[in-house]
Amino acid sequence: MNGETGTTARPEPPPDTDFARREGRQQWVAQGVAVGGSVGGNLHLHFGESATDEILEPKFREGPYPSADVTHRIRGFVEPPSHAHCRKILDGRVLLLRAERGTGATTSAFALLAERYGPDGLTGLDAAERLATWTPTARAGYLLQGMPQQAADELNEVALLELAEKLRQRGARLIITVAAETRLMPETAAWQGLHEPPTSVEIAAERLRTIAREGRLNADQLDTGLAHLTEPGFQDLLAASRLPGVAVEAAEEVCEAVTAGRPAARALDNLRRDSARAAREGLESVRNSAQDLSLIAAVALLEHQDRSVVESFAAVLRPLIESRNAQGAAAQQVATSDLLGPSFETRLAKIGARPLPPRVTEMGRYRYRMQPVRFHDKHRSEAVLRRLWLEYEGMGDVLWAGLEAMPYQPAADLVAGRAVGRVLSHATGTGVLHRLRPFAASNERWRRRLVAYALGEIAQEVQLTSAVHTQLRQWGGQSDINVRCTVAETCAGSFGLARPTVALKLLDSLLDAPDDGSSSKLHNAVLFALGVLLREEVNQQSLFGQVHKWLEAPQSTLRHGCAAVVVEALSLSTFPKPGRPGRQKRSLADVMGDHPDIALALVPVALDAPSCREATCQGLLRIEQDPELRRRADYEAFLPALADAAIGRRGFVSYLLARHRTFSDGPQKETHR
């Protein structure tokens, strides 16, 4: 299969053209404006080239965790019975937190470290980190999730004592989560703590209270929901499992039932369904009907999309499935007395799915009616897709062919990419990630974004992170510019946010080529990734340091071209520019105020570069003339330091001349050394 077959190449916008979309809620189309479907009930407006730019948060990180992320993770935390014992072990600086998968050990680790260091004092470590040579760099709480067996085999009493001493000297602590099946040396017993989850009833009740605090339930609805949890059916369901995920799902189902006015018994029925068994039985029931099989596959891949999107993809899949069976295809030619066929909702009911109530969503002056489609139980889509893709020969190829034949649908790259990633994370063999190559090489950006979302989802599995990194490194060295763009798109997401240092290295390697004028799409992809990484303050110093290095590269290179665009945007407004995606938009004044050392290194180089000299001069003059920007940049201290750092440099002389002309024409007061 070739990712470019049957597609029409769409022109790329020139470097740093106006993306004109709101981060996480808008996409591009080839021309004009399109109003599309939803992800999580949000309307999407689309401008320009087709693709979704929603940024997903990573499950774990290598580096500092944003405080908002930590606070979100421990909201509604219920202290487990083992918490006090684990807290005591952590007094000794190192805690090996043993737990069954899915029992909430990671949340407990976040809570333990946040107690000591606050939500802004946590740092994640690479699971492959060699602890024998690692040294903490700050007074912080460190978290290593999912220690592999090879690292566990190297962890003995001597290594732990040395590690504890290093942590003590820094005032730091370390928690290592260890899966129950991972073998640890007996001599490490003093550092081991066994995580015992709280009861599911406690977790479900606290989850409902958290939902109420978030404004999704009022006081009466909360009381009703808590009362439902005390009913015998829910008590039996929750008592049968100690997994926090079951309790959270029970709370969410009760919340939906209460807000929609549905009987609690229906929510209980949904929770009791065995998704794996339902998936197996559902596929068996439709195996002889191309019409039903195409629909169940479409719902599984595009769940929660609008019914029109699901129905359209099912129509694309149907002839592909029929072509697997010549007799089935011939049977379609036989005349039938039912020329209309079953209704869409009848077909959905047959496969255990249903349309949700229609709703009208607004954004600006646009109004859009949509009706999402989903299976009755929450995990059926993943179970169906995994079984269909991995257990039936050739069905994975059929789904790929269907995605290739399908025209762009709003948010399809996000929903399908995540679904594909979840499936491939369970696939076996050495060529799993190679299946993504044709879409990675596509001329259409939405297909490249689909691969980026899939790789981001796969990389959330700790044991697969290195495989994704290796694949991106290999793709980054290829000559195909579309494949290199896919690497940048992947860095502009959960993979890059989880590993910003790795992402910056990958982006740097992508720009290891002359700027011959044909690389505008790569230029745009790298700038988009930089904008995504900039959204977190912990990345700003390293990112602007990288921009400084790129600006020192020869002017004919892609590195210099990207850096010049960033500096120009910083100087004249912000990077990313107003109206373009980016939760954090930074100006030159922000860089000077927050990172003066970086600014003192960057500004002289920018003034020397013909590509951004004029913009940098304008930016400095704008700061000096605006009292608020002047205070933000601490310009009274910065200008003398800049004079010392750039004395005699041609670019700085040009700035002084421009400054003299500006202030000699007006009454503004100059700042002298």
Side-chain angles (χ1 to χ4, degrees), residues 121-451:
L122 274 68
T123 297
L125 298 181
D126 183 354
E129 185 76 57
R130 294 198 71 247
L131 294 176
T133 57
W134 174 77
T135 300
T137 57
R139 183 185 181 280
Y142 292 90
L143 175 61
L144 189 153
Q145 298 184 53
M147 171 178 276
Q149 184 61 59
Q150 182 178 358
D153 292 340
E154 298 175 357
L155 201 63
N156 55 28
E157 184 179 14
V158 173
L160 283 169
L161 287 171
E162 291 177 352
L163 185 58
E165 178 59 23
K166 292 178 184 177
L167 291 162
R168 186 193 62 78
Q169 292 174 4
R170 281 288 186 179
R173 287 176 173 79
L174 169 65
I175 296 180
I176 303 171
T177 60
V178 184
E181 63 269 20
T182 302
R183 301 180 306 278
L184 290 173
M185 294 185 183
E187 60 199 82
T188 66
W191 287 272
Q192 294 182 36
L194 180 63
H195 172 71
E196 300 175 30
T199 67
S200 296
V201 173
E202 292 177 297
I203 296 173
E206 183 57 32
R207 178 62 178 173
L208 273 182
R209 296 187 187 98
T210 302
I211 291 172
R213 288 193 291 269
E214 293 171 348
R216 294 166 54 193
L217 291 174
N218 60 36
D220 291 339
Q221 290 171 331
L222 174 61
D223 290 341
T224 302
L226 291 173
H228 285 321
L229 291 180
T230 63
E231 295 171 2
F234 282 100
Q235 290 283 307
D236 292 343
L237 175 77
L238 294 172
S241 174
R242 295 295 300 274
L243 297 180
V246 173
V248 170
E249 287 178 12
E252 292 289 347
E253 281 285 351
V254 169
C255 174
E256 289 183 15
V258 169
T259 54
R262 293 199 306 267
R266 186 183 300 179
L268 192 57
D269 288 342
N270 289 341
L271 291 166
R272 284 171 170 164
R273 287 192 177 95
D274 183 336
S275 294
R277 185 178 66 186
R280 182 175 64 253
E281 294 173 351
L283 288 173
E284 285 296 320
S285 69
V286 301
R287 65 183 306 139
N288 296 317
S289 169
Q291 175 178 264
D292 295 333
L293 184 55
S294 63
L295 183 60
I296 198 172
V299 175
L301 191 63
L302 299 171
E303 191 175 33
H304 293 289
Q305 287 291 86
D306 185 69
R307 60 182 294 165
S308 63
V309 177
V310 173
E311 196 167 12
S312 174
F313 186 60
V316 170
L317 283 179
R318 183 172 177 176
L320 295 171
I321 292 173
E322 289 172 344
S323 67
R324 290 163 53 89
N325 186 338
Q327 292 181 349
Q332 298 301 315
Q333 306 299 321
V334 178
T336 174
S337 58
D338 185 359
L339 299 179
L340 287 177
S343 69
F344 184 62
E345 292 194 15
T346 300
R347 293 169 58 199
L348 286 176
K350 185 175 181 180
I351 64 170
R354 61 187 173 92
L356 299 180
R359 58 178 179 266
V360 175
T361 312
E362 294 186 26
M363 179 174 285
R365 61 189 179 89
Y366 296 100
R367 295 172 62 84
Y368 178 69
R369 183 181 295 277
M370 67 163 302
Q371 189 174 24
V373 173
R374 57 162 287 188
F375 286 108
H376 289 299
D377 45 308
K378 290 189 175 181
H379 299 293
R380 175 112 47 111
S381 61
E382 184 175 348
V384 166
L385 193 62
R386 188 191 307 177
R387 188 173 184 84
L388 194 62
W389 197 300
L390 301 180
E391 297 190 24
Y392 293 97
E393 182 180 359
M395 283 306 300
D397 294 331
V398 168
L399 292 168
W400 276 124
L403 285 170
E404 186 171 351
M406 183 181 73
Y408 178 71
Q409 299 284 359
D413 44 359
L414 167 62
V415 177
R418 297 190 70 187
V420 168
R422 287 190 290 268
V423 168
L424 294 185
S425 66
H426 293 278
T428 59
T430 58
V432 171
L433 299 183
H434 297 165
R435 299 295 303 272
L436 298 168
R437 174 65 168 71
F439 270 39
S442 174
N443 274 323
E444 295 191 86
R445 183 170 180 255
W446 79 268
R447 301 184 194 278
R448 303 196 298 269
R449 288 295 291 166
L450 186 152
V451 173

Side-chain angles (χ1 to χ4, degrees), residues 401-515:
L403 285 170
E404 186 171 351
M406 183 181 73
Y408 178 71
Q409 299 284 359
D413 44 359
L414 167 62
V415 177
R418 297 190 70 187
V420 168
R422 287 190 290 268
V423 168
L424 294 185
S425 66
H426 293 278
T428 59
T430 58
V432 171
L433 299 183
H434 297 165
R435 299 295 303 272
L436 298 168
R437 174 65 168 71
F439 270 39
S442 174
N443 274 323
E444 295 191 86
R445 183 170 180 255
W446 79 268
R447 301 184 194 278
R448 303 196 298 269
R449 288 295 291 166
L450 186 152
V451 173
Y453 285 123
L455 289 173
E457 199 71 25
I458 296 169
Q460 298 307 303
E461 299 292 332
V462 175
Q463 64 271 27
L464 300 178
T465 301
S466 60
V468 173
H469 183 193
T470 300
Q471 185 66 72
L472 291 173
R473 226 176 28 239
Q474 292 175 355
W475 283 355
Q478 295 186 11
S479 59
D480 190 321
I481 199 164
N482 289 323
V483 174
R484 291 160 68 197
C485 284
T486 301
V487 176
E489 297 280 9
T490 307
C491 292
S494 59
F495 179 87
L497 291 175
R499 304 159 195 83
T501 302
V502 169
L504 284 174
K505 288 180 180 179
L506 286 170
L507 293 174
D508 181 63
S509 68
L510 295 176
L511 299 176
D512 193 15
D515 189 355

Side-chain angles (χ1 to χ4, degrees), residues 11-211:
E12 291 282 339
D16 198 44
T17 53
D18 192 358
F19 296 101
R21 58 190 191 277
R22 187 166 62 85
E23 182 183 32
R25 294 293 178 263
Q26 297 176 356
Q27 298 92 31
W28 295 355
V29 292
Q31 296 178 349
V33 179
V35 185
S38 83
V39 176
N42 295 293
L43 182 70
H44 297 255
L45 294 184
H46 316 289
F47 303 80
E49 189 194 12
S50 305
T52 305
D53 289 325
E54 183 165 345
I55 308 304
L56 304 176
E57 296 294 334
K59 295 179 183 177
F60 66 92
R61 297 172 185 263
E62 297 169 12
Y65 279 85
S67 59
D69 188 5
V70 175
T71 301
H72 179 77
R73 288 170 185 264
I74 60 177
R75 78 195 195 291
F77 172 70
V78 178
E79 187 170 303
S82 56
H83 212 59
H85 179 60
C86 291
R87 187 184 286 119
K88 185 176 181 179
I89 296 175
L90 191 58
D91 288 339
R93 303 293 171 176
V94 181
L95 167 62
L96 303 176
L97 188 57
R98 306 209 63 160
E100 297 286 345
R101 295 183 186 275
T103 56
T106 300
T107 303
S108 183
F110 273 103
L112 284 167
L113 292 174
E115 284 179 3
R116 311 280 184 134
Y117 301 98
D120 58 348
L122 274 68
T123 297
L125 298 181
D126 183 354
E129 185 76 57
R130 294 198 71 247
L131 294 176
T133 57
W134 174 77
T135 300
T137 57
R139 183 185 181 280
Y142 292 90
L143 175 61
L144 189 153
Q145 298 184 53
M147 171 178 276
Q149 184 61 59
Q150 182 178 358
D153 292 340
E154 298 175 357
L155 201 63
N156 55 28
E157 184 179 14
V158 173
L160 283 169
L161 287 171
E162 291 177 352
L163 185 58
E165 178 59 23
K166 292 178 184 177
L167 291 162
R168 186 193 62 78
Q169 292 174 4
R170 281 288 186 179
R173 287 176 173 79
L174 169 65
I175 296 180
I176 303 171
T177 60
V178 184
E181 63 269 20
T182 302
R183 301 180 306 278
L184 290 173
M185 294 185 183
E187 60 199 82
T188 66
W191 287 272
Q192 294 182 36
L194 180 63
H195 172 71
E196 300 175 30
T199 67
S200 296
V201 173
E202 292 177 297
I203 296 173
E206 183 57 32
R207 178 62 178 173
L208 273 182
R209 296 187 187 98
T210 302
I211 291 172

